[in-house]
Amino acid sequence: MENNFYFTDHFSDTLRAWGREEIKNAFRKCCAQFEVDSDTHKMPRVDISPGYGGSAHYDFLKLSISPNLEINPGNENESRSLKVAQQLIHHEMVHIFQQQLLGQQNLYALQTWFSEGMAVALSGQPVIWEGNDFLKELDAFEALPDAESYLIMSNHLAFDMSKSPFDSLYAIWGLMFLYSISDGESLHPDYKADDGPHLTATELKRAVAIVRDTPDLGFETALQLHSNKASLTASSIKNEVCSFIG
């Protein structure tokens, strides 16, 4: 497993050791979430370079992390940066597990909002949990001529996530995913305290089943079969998802 990690020369030995452990931690978390054996499941090759972001392709993961990341934080900003890096690693590892369930011929069979929303929710990245904030973000998108194509993204469209309103898109997708696989009528109240993940075993199984069955059934059929919820539309996001927040 140790031979799967490739760092550029920008990283200290201490940060490399931290990175290897965090990647292995994310791998073990995903094994538990997707219910696969961590002793037999293969760790992907992981390339780590400076920056922020990542991309997954079946058995190959590219991560960009700051070589100046402080792994023993001394203030709130450093603590947040460390948490964001940990969530990023887990998020990208979720995509590896999704793709391995889908198979190499169906890597992008999931609709983007579900794929990314699942990675957001399972990694504990922030979701929008306050109704007024959610409506405010939706209103910002509705000002765009092609709002629905971004909110309910079927296939990836390029956008700048550092600019409004796209900077909230992943948090919106995380909430849409939680609505789609939820056991209950409303968002888990603990999201008001921290980002989670706050998913039941049944919800995890439901999400994994949707991924697993998408190649054979198609995404929309798999979603409705396992969640009993139809695909979202712009109007249902505003009505049903907003009601789900409570």
Side-chain angles (χ1 to χ4, degrees), residues 136-183:
K136 181 180 177 182
E137 297 297 344
L138 288 185
D139 287 343
F141 270 97
E142 287 180 354
L144 301 175
D146 50 356
E148 187 161 345
S149 63
Y150 284 102
L151 287 171
I152 310 168
M153 193 179 291
S154 299
N155 300 301
H156 185 73
L157 298 173
F159 62 91
D160 186 348
M161 63 184 295
S162 69
K163 295 182 179 179
S164 179
F166 300 106
D167 54 351
S168 66
L169 194 50
Y170 278 75
I172 291 172
W173 284 341
L175 179 62
M176 289 164 57
F177 165 80
L178 291 171
Y179 163 78
S180 296
I181 56 90
S182 177
D183 286 334

Side-chain angles (χ1 to χ4, degrees), residues 178 182-189 203 243-246:
L178 291 171
S182 177
D183 286 334
E185 299 286 327
S186 58
L187 183 67
H188 195 296
E203 289 169 340
S243 176
F244 174 70
I245 296 176

Side-chain angles (χ1 to χ4, degrees), residues 81-193:
S81 294
L82 184 64
K83 181 178 180 180
V84 167
Q86 292 168 325
Q87 291 169 333
L88 169 69
I89 294 169
H90 190 173
H91 177 115
E92 296 302 334
M93 191 65 75
V94 170
H95 287 318
I96 289 288
F97 277 69
Q98 289 172 336
Q99 292 178 357
Q100 291 177 349
L101 259 185
L102 292 167
Q104 293 199 60
Q105 304 303 313
N106 302 286
L107 295 183
Y108 306 107
L110 293 174
Q111 291 191 1
T112 301
W113 71 264
F114 187 91
S115 172
E116 294 295 347
M118 183 175 179
V120 166
L122 267 61
S123 65
Q125 290 175 317
V127 301
I128 298 175
W129 53 265
E130 211 284 325
N132 288 334
D133 290 342
F134 185 63
L135 288 174
K136 181 180 177 182
E137 297 297 344
L138 288 185
D139 287 343
F141 270 97
E142 287 180 354
L144 301 175
D146 50 356
E148 187 161 345
S149 63
Y150 284 102
L151 287 171
I152 310 168
M153 193 179 291
S154 299
N155 300 301
H156 185 73
L157 298 173
F159 62 91
D160 186 348
M161 63 184 295
S162 69
K163 295 182 179 179
S164 179
F166 300 106
D167 54 351
S168 66
L169 194 50
Y170 278 75
I172 291 172
W173 284 341
L175 179 62
M176 289 164 57
F177 165 80
L178 291 171
Y179 163 78
S180 296
I181 56 90
S182 177
D183 286 334
E185 299 286 327
S186 58
L187 183 67
H188 195 296
D190 286 355
Y191 278 104
K192 295 182 179 181

Side-chain angles (χ1 to χ4, degrees), residues 43-83:
M43 169 74 77
R45 172 191 168 115
V46 187
D47 285 8
I48 305 97
S49 59
Y52 177 78
S55 62
H57 190 82
Y58 194 72
D59 57 2
F60 175 45
L61 184 57
K62 293 181 70 174
L63 294 170
S64 296
I65 298 170
S66 171
N68 300 315
L69 184 68
E70 179 52 67
I71 60 173
N72 296 301
N75 57 56
E76 186 174 339
N77 285 338
E78 290 177 348
S79 296
R80 170 159 178 73
S81 294
L82 184 64
K83 181 178 180 180

